[in-house]
Amino acid sequence: DIYASQGNWRDLVDVLEREAAIADDDTFRIQVYSDLARVWYEKLERERNAIENWERVLDIDAGNTYALFSIAEIQRAGGQSRERADTLQRIIDVGAATLEDTDLVTVYMQLGHIYANELQQAGEAVEAYRNVLTIDPAHFEALDSLELIHRGQGEWEAVVNVMEQRAQAFDD
C-alpha cells in the first residue's frame, strides 16, 4: 500500500510478485495475480504483462470468468479482434453453466459483432446471433444483425425467416 500511495508501481510489482511466489493459498495467489494484472495494465500500461497475470489466475482457476472478461477488455482496447473472439469463446465455454443469461447474451452479441464486422466471418457471426436467440428469441438487435448478414449474403429465404421470427417476437 505504501508503494501504491506513492505511485511507485514498479516496486509494488516486485513486492506482489514475491508474495505470489511464496503464497501457498490459491485464493490469495489469485488475488495477488489479479492485483498484478491491474497494476500492469492500469498503471504501467503493459498489456502483455497484464494478460500473463490474468492467465496465471486461470492456471489456478480455469473457470474464473472475471479474469477472462478482463483479458477480453484488454484485447478490445488493443484492437486484437481474433484474440478477443477466442477469449469470448473461452468465456462461453467455461461460463455457460454459471453466467446469467443476460451476460451470455452480451458475450454472444460481442462475438457476433466481431465475426461480422471485424473478421468478416459471416458463418460464425450467424452462429453467435442464433445462440442469442436461443436464450432470448425476441432479441431484436440479434434479429437485425442476422437479417443484415443474410441480406449481404443474398440469402433471401433466411431473410424471410428472420423477418417472420421478428414478427413472432412482436406478437409475443
Side-chain angles (χ1 to χ4, degrees), residues 9-146:
W9 305 115
R10 287 290 186 172
D11 287 340
L12 179 59
V13 163
D14 291 341
V15 169
L16 290 171
E17 286 177 345
R18 283 194 299 273
E19 282 184 359
I22 61 172
D24 57 0
D25 175 54
D26 283 347
T27 303
F28 181 68
R29 284 193 353 212
I30 287 172
Q31 182 59 52
V32 172
Y33 286 133
S34 298
D35 290 344
L36 273 165
R38 283 188 286 275
V39 170
W40 277 119
Y41 185 64
E42 296 168 11
K43 302 302 180 185
L44 298 173
E45 299 176 356
R46 297 281 301 269
E47 294 174 5
R48 186 177 43 80
N49 297 79
I51 289 174
E52 286 173 4
N53 280 281
W54 286 123
E55 290 290 349
R56 288 179 181 146
V57 169
L58 294 167
D59 289 341
I60 300 166
D61 176 11
N64 190 311
T65 55
Y66 183 81
L68 288 167
F69 276 112
S70 297
I71 291 170
E73 175 54 28
I74 293 167
Q75 293 164 334
R76 184 203 59 75
Q80 301 168 321
S81 299
R82 164 80 330 209
E83 294 83 356
R84 183 168 171 235
D86 293 343
T87 301
L88 292 171
Q89 189 59 57
R90 285 172 69 189
I91 291 170
I92 292 164
D93 293 344
V94 302
T98 58
L99 290 174
E100 297 290 325
D101 283 351
T102 55
D103 293 328
L104 275 175
V105 164
T106 299
V107 173
Y108 278 123
M109 288 299 295
Q110 290 176 10
L111 197 54
H113 176 82
I114 291 168
Y115 282 134
N117 301 308
E118 297 173 27
L119 300 176
Q120 286 68 48
Q121 293 179 269
E124 287 82 355
V126 166
E127 182 181 342
Y129 292 130
R130 291 225 176 274
N131 284 325
V132 169
L133 297 174
T134 301
I135 298 167
D136 179 4
H139 195 282
F140 291 107
E141 187 180 345
L143 289 165
D144 292 345
S145 297
L146 274 175

